[in-house]
Amino acid sequence: MLLCPLCHASSSFYARDKRRAFHQCRQCRLVFADPATHVDREEEKRLYETHENDPLDPRYRAFLNQLWQPLQKVCRDSGYRTALDFGSGPGPTLHLMMEESGLNARHYDPIYSPDEILLSHSYDVVTCTEVIEHFFYPQREFAQLRRLVKPGGTLATMTKPYVSAERFPNWHYKNDLTHVSFFNDETYRYIAEQFGFRVERITNEVTFFRCIKSC
């Protein structure tokens, strides 16, 4: 039996495809790939570099706008000034879009932009677009994200929620071997309760975690 990498509760078998087995936490409902099938950092980097993330590509900007358009309104209404795009990948773009709207925005990536100094500060906004599904150790990684968000700030995420166990073996999103953690509403509620957020589902794929003032 595998323990959940988010809440450390017990899990049960969820689904299997040709390459990996997946388990579901009995408490927070996270679905996660068997850790024995995690790729190493070299293979992870190779797979990331098959993605086409070009800051000048209007299609990529349109993709990021799924998160940025609703977040931009939150930034205006809340008077946010600082932002960090966490997990910006090989073609950092979202921080440029935030800068174009007047935010003081930086970007961090553990492989491509590993400036650890950025992780010693806190920000009004932290964005994770197509990032949290890559978390091998989501308990540790969400704790880090929480430290990066100022009280009253927002952690904005975008990822696909998982589908039913019957559909999961044929679900295209889990075919990327770097995708190891999958979430649903129950998982988001656990994260919010555990780390002092108020969760807001914006769309099927976009979720905001608003840091309550007292956290």
Side-chain angles (χ1 to χ4, degrees):
M1 179 182 65
L2 297 175
L3 296 183
C4 172
L6 176 58
C7 72
H8 308 305
S10 61
S11 69
S12 56
F13 174 79
Y14 188 69
R16 181 186 301 275
D17 65 12
K18 293 180 180 179
R19 296 183 292 185
R20 297 187 290 177
F22 301 85
H23 303 264
Q24 184 180 49
C25 177
R26 291 172 177 164
Q27 176 172 270
C28 73
R29 313 309 289 174
L30 181 80
V31 169
F32 59 97
D34 187 328
T37 62
H38 289 177
V39 297
D40 60 25
R41 180 52 61 91
E42 183 177 343
E43 177 65 5
E44 188 179 14
K45 184 173 184 289
R46 186 191 71 79
L47 290 169
Y48 289 156
E49 289 174 353
T50 64
H51 300 173
E52 296 182 4
N53 299 344
D54 183 351
L56 301 178
D57 185 349
R59 295 170 300 177
Y60 185 47
R61 284 186 167 235
F63 171 75
L64 295 175
N65 262 326
Q66 295 176 81
L67 178 140
W68 176 232
Q69 283 187 347
L71 181 59
Q72 190 172 13
K73 182 180 186 303
V74 171
C75 292
R76 287 195 304 265
D77 293 346
S78 303
Y80 291 160
R81 296 179 178 273
T82 60
L84 177 70
D85 183 26
F86 184 95
S88 51
T93 302
L94 183 54
H95 78 290
L96 299 176
M97 297 165 66
M98 292 191 284
E99 284 181 342
E100 290 163 5
S101 294
L103 288 177
N104 178 10
R106 309 295 296 275
H107 66 94
Y108 170 84
D109 190 277
I111 296 176
Y112 298 99
S113 306
D115 185 353
E116 299 293 324
I117 293 176
L118 295 174
L119 303 183
S120 65
H121 301 287
S122 58
Y123 305 85
D124 295 320
V125 177
V126 176
T127 57
C128 292
T129 54
E130 295 288 305
V131 171
I132 64 174
E133 68 274 11
H134 299 282
F135 285 173
F136 290 169
Y137 310 104
Q139 202 285 333
R140 183 180 72 189
E141 288 150 333
F142 272 100
Q144 180 178 57
L145 291 171
R146 169 61 196 88
R147 291 191 295 271
L148 292 171
V149 182
K150 291 180 179 180
T154 297
L155 168 64
T157 69
M158 183 165 72
T159 190
K160 293 185 185 299
Y162 64 80
V163 296
S164 67
E166 293 74 24
R167 295 171 55 202
F168 198 92
N170 296 316
W171 187 38
H172 73 94
Y173 196 65
K174 61 97 180 80
N175 292 340
D176 185 331
L177 293 179
T178 67
H179 290 184
V180 298
S181 293
F182 307 94
F183 304 78
N184 72 358
D185 283 337
E186 289 183 72
T187 319
Y188 292 140
R189 285 195 293 271
Y190 173 83
I191 291 168
E193 293 169 3
Q194 179 72 15
F195 296 104
F197 292 111
R198 183 179 74 252
V199 65
E200 297 178 8
R201 287 298 298 277
I202 307 302
T203 66
N204 186 52
E205 299 180 15
V206 175
T207 304
F208 292 171
F209 296 91
R210 309 293 295 272
C211 183
I212 59 180
K213 294 289 186 180
S214 59
C215 68

